[in-house]
Amino acid sequence: MLNPWASEIWRLITLVVLALLVGLLTGKMLLAALFATVAYLIWHLVHLVRLEKWLRKGGTATPPIGNGVWGELYYHIYRMRQRNRKSKRRLADVIGRFRESTSALPDAAVVLRASGEIEWFNDAAARYLGLSISGDIGQRVINLLRHPSFANYLSKGDFSDSLEMPSPADEMMILEINIVPYGGQNQNLLIARDVTRIKNLEKMRKDFVANVSHELRTPLTVLTGTLESLADADDSETLATWRRSITHMQQHNQRMLSIVDDLLMISRLETEDNQRDHYPVSLSAMLATIYDEAIALSDNKHGITLDVEPGIWLMGDEKELHSALSNLVANAVRYSPAGGTIVIKCLQDDEGILFSVKDSGIGIAPHHIQRLTERFYRVDAGRSRASGGTGLGLAIVKHVLDRHGAHLEISSEIEKGSVFSCHFPARLIYTPVK
Ligand code: ADP
């Protein structure tokens, strides 16, 4: 194929020669030259019009057919446009992926202009900060997040530390705000993390230490006082007082031991590997033992019924399960007045194993139920202590059930009684080989 410029020159030469010939033959050289020039111009004009029409259509259709320089021009413009379209599509893909990934970020991200106006934010920002795509882009962030500590933080301009504040969308949610300057135009990136869980855990840990100290303080004071009296006594007449004091000391000592044992159990449950000691456990046999223990604890003051299908086995930790289930049964006895009834039930179906203890005791008001499994949480601390409670029983139950993939359900009505149910998943069911 000829070089397009060569073919163009050939076209021109052919036209000039033709014009010369026609001019020589007709003797009107000027007219022939004028005619040839006009024809050549019209030819170019036609191509210019076609090019303009094609470009106006967006250049997506196939380019007009042309030969010589025009064909080459059409081809190059077409290729350039194709390349542009491809890189535009790639860029749109990159932006789309960037948007998707930032939307999936669990933390809120807000891009702020130097003047403090919101330029862009992700989905989490809408949830955590209550921002709305339709109205808040372009608004000053200070007008939308109106908490005084945030205004203070922003006006100080020192973002080396983070700020904690309640979420404007949900006042129960605590946010940790960080502002990171970036880019050459004093832009800022505001990042907000939901730290509610961490804060609650911190508070629970602090409360826990305070509770442990408080629980151990009374028994220790009693022991100290009694020991002082013993040390001061130097005559045998005080023997009777000593006896009373020693019994008192023994009771408190027992309480301290129970608290320490329960605390050790919780710390073991928290630190040891899950499912390390999971072996087949006969629930039916275990519940028979727990039933006997309940009869002994009740001292025949309650009507206790055991309704358990024979041959229920599950994969678990025998010691942990015994501790959890006996805690629930012991609570039913301790929180039911004499003459009350207690039903211990256990059945198995396709969904798993359901264990429940139903009592006709004092019941629990609804607002306490959510918090019963917290350490040292008691509805009535005096009553719990008087019946030998440590306030840690249900915390242990919850831990043990969590470690077995099971969950606790509590339903209760004041003065009528309570039902504590444990749902064990079907995957824990064990079928002994006969
Ligand atoms: P405690 O050693 O005080 O019994 P738990 O953790 O076992 O500690 O129970 C926490 C609290 O839940 C108890 O103090 C009591 O107020 C309440 N509770 C537990 N079981 C029952 C029940 N069967 N009936 C009524 N209240 C109960």
Side-chain angles (χ1 to χ4, degrees):
M1 207 183 134
L2 264 182
N3 172 324
W5 282 108
S7 92
E8 194 59 39
I9 287 167
W10 271 115
R11 190 192 322 274
L12 203 58
I13 291 173
T14 315
L15 198 67
V16 170
V17 170
L18 265 176
L20 272 175
L21 276 177
V22 173
L24 282 176
L25 286 176
T26 57
K28 291 184 177 162
M29 188 62 82
L30 208 62
L31 200 65
L34 188 69
F35 191 75
T37 313
V38 171
Y40 192 61
L41 274 177
I42 288 176
W43 186 75
H44 278 294
L45 203 66
V46 167
H47 275 293
L48 265 178
V49 170
R50 282 159 94 189
L51 174 65
E52 190 273 335
K53 269 191 185 161
W54 176 58
L55 288 179
R56 195 145 28 93
K57 275 190 203 153
T60 46
T62 37
I65 297 167
N67 45 24
V69 174
W70 281 106
E72 196 67 8
L73 263 177
Y74 291 146
Y75 173 72
H76 284 304
I77 294 174
Y78 182 62
R79 288 294 307 272
M80 215 160 72
R81 298 207 126 206
Q82 265 187 332
R83 271 201 303 273
N84 272 349
R85 257 198 306 279
K86 266 191 198 151
S87 56
K88 238 177 163 177
R89 218 174 298 141
R90 255 201 313 272
L91 263 175
D93 271 3
V94 170
I95 293 175
R97 275 205 301 276
F98 170 76
R99 288 226 160 132
E100 272 171 24
S101 54
T102 45
S103 294
L105 272 180
D107 297 343
V110 184
V111 174
L112 300 175
R113 292 194 194 115
S115 47
E117 284 140 9
I118 296 176
E119 195 169 326
W120 176 87
F121 58 83
N122 66 354
D123 292 356
R127 283 197 311 277
Y128 292 177
L129 303 171
L131 300 179
S132 111
I133 291 274
S134 53
D136 294 341
I137 298 275
Q139 297 282 337
R140 281 169 62 86
V141 69
I142 191 80
N143 295 336
L144 300 172
L145 308 183
R146 304 190 71 97
H147 198 270
S149 62
F150 182 73
N152 221 356
Y153 181 63
L154 215 57
S155 66
K156 260 199 209 148
D158 173 11
F159 304 132
S160 48
D161 287 330
S162 54
L163 164 80
E164 265 168 32
M165 65 172 217
S167 152
D170 172 3
E171 60 180 30
M172 298 300 282
M173 187 191 285
I174 304 165
L175 296 177
E176 184 186 82
I177 309 268
N178 273 293
I179 292 188
V180 192
Y182 79 98
Q185 293 157 359
N186 289 334
Q187 278 169 304
N188 286 311
L189 179 65
L190 183 152
I191 297 177
R193 271 176 67 212
D194 177 7
V195 290
T196 319
R197 225 181 119 245
I198 300 169
K199 287 280 130 193
N200 285 348
L201 280 176
E202 258 175 32
K203 187 176 173 297
M204 253 164 87
R205 211 184 45 229
K206 282 185 201 146
D207 287 354
F208 180 62
V209 174
N211 281 327
V212 172
S213 324
H214 180 73
E215 288 295 328
L216 294 179
R217 209 176 174 288
T218 317
L220 284 175
T221 313
V222 172
L223 285 182
T224 313
T226 315
L227 286 173
E228 271 170 14
S229 328
L230 282 176
D232 291 345
D234 52 7
D235 63 287
S236 55
E237 281 168 22
T238 48
L239 201 65
T241 323
W242 286 12
R243 283 235 171 78
R244 258 208 322 277
S245 299
I246 287 169
T247 317
H248 210 181
M249 267 183 2
Q250 277 170 332
Q251 280 167 359
H252 280 280
N253 232 15
Q254 192 48 51
R255 231 170 74 66
M256 276 207 297
L257 278 175
S258 304
I259 292 176
V260 171
D261 282 349
D262 280 358
L263 282 175
L264 286 175
M265 174 86 179
I266 288 186
S267 110
R268 195 174 74 79
L269 290 172
E270 273 180 344
T271 48
E272 272 180 14
D273 268 0
N274 246 1
Q275 310 198 341
R276 209 192 50 173
D277 296 319
H278 281 195
Y279 295 107
V281 178
S282 164
L283 263 192
S284 311
M286 179 187 286
L287 291 175
T289 317
I290 291 177
Y291 171 74
D292 291 341
E293 289 166 5
I295 300 272
L297 181 68
S298 147
D299 203 12
N300 281 326
K301 290 194 183 103
H302 305 88
I304 308 180
T305 323
L306 180 66
D307 177 5
V308 177
E309 286 175 12
I312 300 185
W313 287 71
L314 66 70
M315 290 300 289
D317 181 313
E318 184 160 8
K319 243 171 94 181
E320 289 180 11
L321 287 170
H322 185 277
S323 166
L325 306 188
S326 64
N327 252 312
L328 293 177
V329 175
N331 278 353
V333 174
R334 288 170 41 228
Y335 296 106
S336 296
T341 52
I342 293 155
V343 181
I344 306 167
K345 248 190 190 169
C346 189
L347 46 97
Q348 177 181 320
D349 61 18
D350 290 347
E351 311 226 314
I353 297 170
L354 174 68
F355 165 83
S356 67
V357 191
K358 185 173 190 290
D359 65 55
S360 60
I362 57 173
I364 307 157
H367 63 278
H368 290 298
I369 290 183
Q370 189 76 358
R371 301 195 58 192
L372 288 185
T373 54
E374 282 178 24
R375 296 160 189 189
F376 293 113
Y377 189 86
R378 291 137 157 170
V379 175
D380 176 349
R383 182 171 188 139
S384 152
R385 284 196 195 105
S387 64
T390 59
L392 294 167
L394 291 181
I396 293 177
V397 172
K398 183 172 184 299
H399 259 297
V400 171
L401 294 189
D402 281 351
R403 281 160 70 89
H404 286 79
H407 68 272
L408 179 69
E409 211 179 287
I410 307 171
S411 64
S412 188
E413 218 177 311
I414 222 123
E415 304 291 336
K416 292 237 166 87
S418 319
V419 185
F420 285 73
S421 318
C422 307
H423 301 260
F424 293 93
R427 65 181 163 80
L428 292 188
I429 296 175
Y430 173 77
T431 318
V433 199
K434 300 230 164 81

